[in-house]
Amino acid sequence: MLRSVGQTRVTGRGSGEEPRAAELRAAVARLRRELAGYPAEFSDRGIAEDELAVLAAMVAAGDPEIPRMRRSLLLIAGAVGSVSALSPALMQVRAAVDLFGEAPPQRR
């Protein structure tokens, strides 16, 4: 696989895991737990659960795509953003995604 200069592969679980990946993994796990424990149903819960699964899978595979991570974050925020009880966990996911930096500009 080709990578840009300075871009490193995110390793899976175990020793030597890249700190950004560990942070994202922990943040996603926390929001998943809190979402599962949230008693009220809301219409976009499934969207949030699906996108959290996408983020978890990207980190587990060791090759997160920044644009896709940001898209997932937006969908999750849209789905659970109005649930104030989930705000701290959502902000932790956002901070973890931000650790990966900005997405490179798309070419036209």
Side-chain angles (χ1 to χ4, degrees):
M1 170 164 64
L2 296 175
R3 286 186 216 123
S4 299
V5 173
Q7 185 179 16
T8 58
R9 182 166 172 80
V10 177
T11 60
R13 291 182 190 215
S15 64
E17 181 175 35
E18 203 232 340
R20 298 178 304 174
E23 186 70 28
L24 183 57
R25 183 185 320 283
V28 167
R30 176 185 174 196
L31 185 52
R32 285 176 117 175
R33 280 191 312 274
E34 290 190 18
L35 184 58
Y38 188 73
E41 279 299 317
F42 53 94
S43 60
D44 292 336
R45 180 187 287 260
I47 292 169
E49 290 168 345
D50 290 347
E51 293 303 319
L52 285 166
V54 167
L55 286 175
M58 275 194 277
V59 172
D63 198 19
E65 300 173 31
I66 295 170
R68 181 62 176 104
M69 287 188 336
R70 293 200 174 280
R71 180 179 181 273
S72 290
L73 177 61
L74 285 173
L75 290 169
I76 294 164
V80 302
S82 64
V83 181
S84 61
L86 300 175
S87 291
L90 176 60
M91 291 294 95
Q92 185 180 2
V93 172
R94 179 181 177 212
V97 169
D98 285 346
L99 291 174
F100 287 87
E102 292 296 320
Q106 293 184 359
R107 296 181 184 164
R108 293 182 194 217

